[in-house]
Amino acid sequence: LAATVQGCDRATRLVEQLLQLARLDTEAGGMDQTTTDLADVARAVYADLQPTALARNQRVELDLPDRAPIPLAEPLARVLLRNLLDNALRYSPDGARIRMQVSPATPGSTASLCVEDSGPGMEDAEIKRLGERFFRVLGTGQSGSGLGWSIVQRIARLHGLRVRIDRSPALGGLRVRIGG
């Protein structure tokens, strides 16, 4: 019974992600250009995922300004941040450190986000494939559909934001930076 429930949960998550991608594909020309406070969304996503971190003795550090407006609708900002933080928690070992930093806009650029972890990181060849639909790094022991990165990159691209992925110089694992 437990395996059946887990299978249903995975199928539900997959359908939700496919629907999100389909909506992003069809809305490409008419995206909602409202402004969202990225710092507020980061606080909310942190609160949502904190029980997951605590269950694995992981420490999530926040570095947030009071406000960080970004031209991105709140539901999409939440999806973007949740995917990034959830990945950092899932693919980092028990006891890992994860840091989520939001920086306010500066002249000529939008607010930006950086999520980095002390996990194992990824090989350059794997990083290059991130965002390919259904691509997953094998051997991690984690379930998933391989759509989260596609969603993150699609949201960023539709809003003129760059996604940069490399190794974290501070924590040693993966570092993801998103901004204008």
Side-chain angles (χ1 to χ4, degrees):
L1 182 59
T4 301
V5 170
Q6 286 178 336
C8 288
D9 289 345
R10 281 193 303 273
T12 300
R13 176 94 172 115
L14 175 62
V15 169
E16 288 171 354
Q17 289 181 318
L18 287 169
L19 287 171
Q20 181 70 53
L21 277 171
R23 281 191 294 272
L24 290 169
D25 287 345
T26 60
E27 294 175 359
M31 292 303 297
D32 181 358
Q33 292 300 314
T34 61
T35 299
T36 297
D37 186 343
L38 195 57
D40 280 348
V41 173
R43 286 182 193 92
V45 168
Y46 166 81
D48 289 347
L49 293 176
Q50 186 60 12
T52 302
L54 291 174
R56 296 191 52 213
N57 198 30
Q58 295 171 322
R59 187 174 76 220
V60 179
E61 302 165 358
L62 296 180
D63 182 3
L64 308 174
D66 290 334
R67 291 189 33 76
I70 191 166
L72 181 61
E74 190 275 335
L76 293 178
R78 185 178 286 270
V79 166
L80 188 139
L81 267 73
R82 184 176 180 91
N83 275 324
L84 292 176
L85 186 55
D86 181 60
N87 278 344
L89 292 169
R90 289 174 67 209
Y91 293 100
S92 294
D94 291 355
R97 282 179 57 203
I98 293 106
R99 181 170 38 217
M100 183 165 47
Q101 177 182 20
V102 173
S103 301
T106 57
S109 71
T110 66
S112 62
L113 168 71
C114 178
V115 176
E116 53 191 329
D117 62 61
S118 64
M122 299 175 80
E123 299 295 326
D124 289 341
E126 295 167 338
I127 289 173
K128 288 179 183 175
R129 292 198 61 199
L130 285 177
E132 289 179 21
R133 291 180 183 183
F134 303 107
F135 170 73
R136 291 183 27 80
V137 176
L138 300 177
T140 63
Q142 295 295 321
S143 65
S145 62
L147 292 174
W149 279 104
S150 296
I151 293 169
V152 164
Q153 290 183 338
R154 185 71 174 139
I155 290 170
R157 190 171 32 255
L158 288 173
H159 291 84
L161 303 172
R162 285 185 49 211
V163 178
R164 294 176 305 250
I165 305 163
D166 59 6
R167 182 164 293 281
S168 168
L171 301 180
L174 200 63
R175 175 175 65 175
V176 180
R177 294 174 289 164
I178 297 179

